[in-house]
Amino acid sequence: MDYLLQKYMPRIDFDSYEDFRANYKINVPEDFNFGFDVVDAWAQAEPEKRALVWCDESGEEKVFTFTDIMKLSARAANFFRAQGVKKGSVVMLILRRRWEYWICAAALHKLGAVLIPGTLQLTKKDIVYRGNAAKIHGIVCVNDPFVISQVEAAQEEIPSLQMKALAAESREGWLNLDEEIMGYPDEFPRPSGEEATRWDDIMLVYFTSGTTGMPKMVQHNFAHPLGHVTTARYWQCVEENKLHMSVSDSGWAKFGWGKIYGQWLCGATVFCYDMLGKFEPARLLSHLEKYKVTTFCAPPTMFRFMLQEDVSRYDLSSIHHCATAGEPLNPEVVKKWKELTGLQIYEGFGQSEGPVLLANFKWISPIPGSTGKPNPLYDMQLVDREGILCEEGEEGTIAIMDVKSRPPVGLFTGYFQNPAMTEEKLGGDYYDTGDVAWRDSDGYFWFVGRNDDVIKCSGYRIGPFEVESALVEHPAVVECAITGAPDPIRGQVVKATIVLARGYEGTPELTKELQAYVKKATAPYKYPRIIEYVAELPKTLGGKIKRAQIRQMDTAGKP
């Protein structure tokens, strides 16, 4: 038990959150490399240990041991090397939830290449921008007509692009990844000399979008996976040799949070259901039941939609622990899920820039509406606009202090190929996450919203989460997004964009009822003066509501 963790942690078990906060440490070897020191290490210690259980919509299923991953990633590393990929080369993977992602990721880590995950939604413009900003050498894609067409359209405008490969598919102008790698040896010795990796070399880059400007390239070093031990063991509570499922596409940072790094360090088996098309909660519930998943993590929106099904029909008794992140979790969802399953949902908070930052860790009694307490790897504080530490109950931006010297384990190290932006963000006294919260007297953090999402109406500051939580308590509301809509008198007014439950219609009478409901549930000035009913909310592939898009549409006068 804990074979790998003992190599990197002086202590693994703790008596309380206070003990965890005071004594949790991770020692990072100078040459730590996830491909060799986790994948291959498990294969050598326990050759038959399961690493991945994968299935898809068609019923195809594959089970991979760590030995399988070791050998296939060695073949893939040799293949990539033959295509000119070496230490520092940049390769983008657009592979949805295909099993090839794990093989390619381990291979690229072994080579010391820089991995960039990409989503299926990237257009030609997106790919051209990413390709040139990061000087991408190669792209590996899933066999998806839209993805293929966008990459092919972008190729001529990316001078650095030398290689294109498709998973399990032959096509003119593309290499067939699955066939190609089987032509290479299943051994890949650890590189030495200049080709060897150090903990502070760049391993992974996420493109992350803000409300202004082009997407930023958030870079992580080879120590980053060790930061996710906190995510996996102490928040998601994964169990060695048991199935853990995090619902995420490989193009999103949540995949790194829940489907590879911390989970494999802890010896858990990753379960992946490769969903296609629109999310169907009944099918997800049936897979949780069929495969007897032990620990489960999903965005709040998926819990909300699963609760629209008859959850009692499914045997979820194998599940020991549920977690969520990506958006604040409304208290009503926590209450209903526990009533139906007996399971508490443990909320966490973080960004593409790091592992879980705040969470309801295993020793903490979750308070519905609170995102928990700080990850002990980081000195986390709340600061006001002048950079002064906030008092209890005072709203401030969540900040990680002392990031100038050796980067804290797991936290991003800057912006890829942009030292000026890196200095601007990490060269001061702290890293400003851009998220607003307040802290109570017991040390719990309460999320208010992104700085950009906070609504300023007639002199009031209104956080969207509190209003959303009030609305979803009403049986007519499945989910909603609270935004600020332009108003000539007040500057902004609160707007609710709502997805209704089955059997309800968006009538003027219901609008008045919901407005009155919010006035009773929270301060009356927070009620939504505008309510719009929609079939679905705009979301990122990771499940986050695109409030900025709703604001932009309102500003442009679009319905």
Side-chain angles (χ1 to χ4, degrees), residues 10-11 14 18-25:
R11 282 183 61 187
F14 303 90
E18 291 69 28
D19 183 22
F20 182 50
R21 185 75 186 270
N23 298 301
Y24 181 57
K25 299 286 187 297

Side-chain angles (χ1 to χ4, degrees), residues 349-534:
F349 159 82
Q351 302 176 317
S352 302
E353 286 82 354
V356 70
L357 299 178
L358 297 165
N360 288 283
F361 293 105
K362 60 189 297 184
W363 311 271
I364 294 174
S365 298
I367 302 174
S370 167
T371 196
K373 297 185 179 183
N375 179 333
L377 289 174
Y378 312 120
D379 178 10
M380 300 187 64
Q381 303 290 342
L382 297 174
V383 299
D384 65 16
R385 294 177 184 178
E386 284 71 45
I388 299 171
L389 297 183
C390 296
E391 301 291 336
E392 290 174 1
E394 182 183 357
E395 288 183 8
T397 188
I398 301 170
I400 300 176
M401 316 303 287
D402 189 25
V403 294
K404 280 185 179 180
S405 54
R406 183 178 173 116
V409 180
L411 193 67
F412 81 126
T413 60
Y415 299 101
F416 191 49
Q417 298 179 356
N418 196 331
M421 186 183 291
T422 298
E423 177 62 23
E424 179 183 348
K425 199 68 174 178
L426 296 178
D429 294 331
Y430 56 85
Y431 161 57
D432 181 348
T433 66
D435 290 289
V436 178
W438 61 276
R439 182 179 56 239
D440 67 20
S441 58
D442 294 317
Y444 286 83
F445 280 62
W446 299 76
F447 187 80
V448 175
R450 291 289 298 172
N451 271 327
D452 298 325
D453 291 336
V454 174
I455 302 161
K456 302 172 183 68
C457 176
S458 299
Y460 293 109
R461 281 171 53 85
I462 302 169
F465 176 57
E466 185 176 3
V467 186
E468 289 170 359
S469 293
L471 277 168
V472 297
E473 291 177 3
H474 193 285
V477 180
V478 173
E479 63 175 351
C480 65
I482 296 298
T483 54
D487 183 84
I489 298 173
R490 297 178 176 85
Q492 285 184 315
V493 294
V494 178
K495 176 191 176 185
T497 306
I498 292 174
V499 177
L500 291 173
R502 299 184 189 121
Y504 287 89
E505 294 183 7
T507 63
E509 291 75 21
L510 179 60
T511 295
K512 290 180 181 178
E513 181 181 335
L514 292 174
Q515 289 172 328
Y517 191 85
V518 173
K519 289 179 182 179
K520 291 180 180 179
T522 186
Y525 68 85
K526 298 180 181 180
Y527 87 94
R529 294 175 183 269
I530 302 172
I531 293 181
E532 178 184 0
Y533 302 101
V534 297

Side-chain angles (χ1 to χ4, degrees), residues 156-169:
E156 288 187 2
E157 298 179 37
I158 308 174
S160 61
L161 183 59
Q162 301 296 311
M163 178 205 74
K164 305 195 314 295
L166 284 176
E169 183 69 17

Side-chain angles (χ1 to χ4, degrees), residues 16-32:
S16 63
Y17 174 75
E18 291 69 28
D19 183 22
F20 182 50
R21 185 75 186 270
N23 298 301
Y24 181 57
K25 299 286 187 297
I26 292 179
N27 298 322
V28 181
E30 290 294 312
D31 63 347
F32 179 77

